[in-house]
Amino acid sequence: MSADTRFWWLNTLPWALYAVLNLSLAMIAFPARQPVLLLLVICIGLPLLLYFISAGIRHLVRRRDWLKGTLWRVALRLLVLVVAGACLAQLVLHLLLRALVALGWVVLPASPSGAGMQWVYLVNTGIILGMWVLAWAGITALQQARHSAMAQLRAEAERERHANQVLRARLNPHFVFNALNNLRGLIAEDPDRARDMVGRLSNTLRHALEHTRGEQVSLAEELALVRDYLAVEAVHYEQRLQVDWQMDEAALPLLLPAMSLQLLVENAVRHGIAQTAGGGVLSIRAQRGPGGILQLEVRNPGQLQRSVKDPAGGLGHGVGLAYLHKAGALVLSQQQEQVVARLEVVQ
């Protein structure tokens, strides 16, 4: 059942109860004194009019999105709709009664107060319609709050999914396989270096397991992970991997999503150094920019792959691009024979 169909059925209930209440009060107040047709027109016709008017108010508010804005602006819009709806209901009811009188079907009783009673009827209709609008707006606001909470939960689930993608990338079989293979060779040739490599590999994998939810870490902490990762890769690539560090001391305390710089560096190694004959220089730069923004830049030799589209619509390569775009403003570009990745993280 659609939302509109469900509304029409549910909206029948309050106005049907209002009609029954009107009839009950009329029979108690005017027993056998008023024509049945007149009582039916007033006691049932008015609720029926309000049934359709309330549906029209709902349609107009939803179409123009009038529940958004400041509280006073929303209240003013709804008040205007209630007054207009009450006036319309009384006008249609008045015209209907005049038509029945003209046909001779009913006779309106004389009213000593005349126009004063018309205002009483109008205010009463406005109060009833206003109660309905208030109830509907409150229920709709609660539903919107619930939908907003659900959207937030879905966004958190999406972030968790990206975090899991990052974890899988950190534990990719090629990196682990190469590291273990190189470690096996080092054990016999250089035991001291083998022990150092075991420690760095352990640190890299430990960080991958600990930081899987996108929490914030300082640049100094992230650099410790990157240095361990590059030390392990240096055993595999040897002289093909040269690292140029350009670190601004003022940037070290700044925060960034865990493993975001490591992702940039891993992409540079896997898709730049590994794919370039003779390797090259991997340049890593970090500085504190205007307004305290953390500015990261990673350069590597190679060509920006044109077969992979990143989530922002640009061209990119490597793993975890979606995670990096969520981490900050990521820009990938080709500068001559170098691929440049820039990431800005607002504090």
Side-chain angles (χ1 to χ4, degrees), residues 197-335:
M197 183 178 176
V198 169
R200 292 182 181 274
L201 178 60
S202 174
N203 290 337
T204 301
L205 298 181
R206 177 172 56 81
H207 278 81
L209 292 171
E210 290 178 352
H211 301 298
T212 59
R213 298 184 182 274
E215 66 268 28
Q216 300 282 307
V217 299
S218 68
L219 176 61
E221 294 176 278
E222 184 77 359
L223 285 174
L225 168 63
V226 172
R227 293 182 190 277
D228 285 334
Y229 169 78
L230 288 176
V232 174
E233 291 286 44
V235 176
H236 178 68
Y237 292 102
E238 297 181 335
Q239 297 302 315
R240 294 177 60 200
L241 175 59
Q242 304 294 322
V243 183
D244 176 28
W245 298 92
Q246 302 176 40
M247 294 293 121
D248 178 5
E249 294 293 330
L252 294 180
L254 299 183
L255 300 179
L256 72 163
M259 307 189 79
S260 51
L261 177 57
Q262 199 275 341
L263 263 176
L264 290 176
V265 171
E266 179 177 340
N267 278 332
V269 172
R270 293 177 59 192
H271 302 278
I273 301 298
Q275 304 299 324
T276 304
V281 177
L282 174 63
S283 175
I284 304 173
R285 184 171 66 87
Q287 67 178 19
R288 183 188 182 97
I293 293 178
L294 175 58
Q295 297 178 329
L296 303 173
E297 181 183 278
V298 177
R299 291 174 175 263
N300 61 270
Q303 296 294 318
L304 190 61
Q305 294 183 9
R306 300 281 169 174
S307 59
V308 181
K309 287 278 186 180
D310 68 37
L315 295 172
H317 68 283
V319 298
L321 282 177
Y323 179 80
L324 289 173
H325 276 286
K326 289 181 176 293
L330 174 66
V331 177
L332 299 172
S333 62
Q334 182 76 48
Q335 296 185 6

Side-chain angles (χ1 to χ4, degrees), residues 148-169:
S148 178
M150 292 298 294
Q152 184 177 358
L153 289 175
R154 285 193 293 268
E156 291 177 357
E158 184 68 12
R159 284 195 294 269
E160 182 71 18
R161 186 178 69 84
H162 285 305
N164 290 335
Q165 288 180 345
V166 174
L167 173 61
R168 289 193 295 270

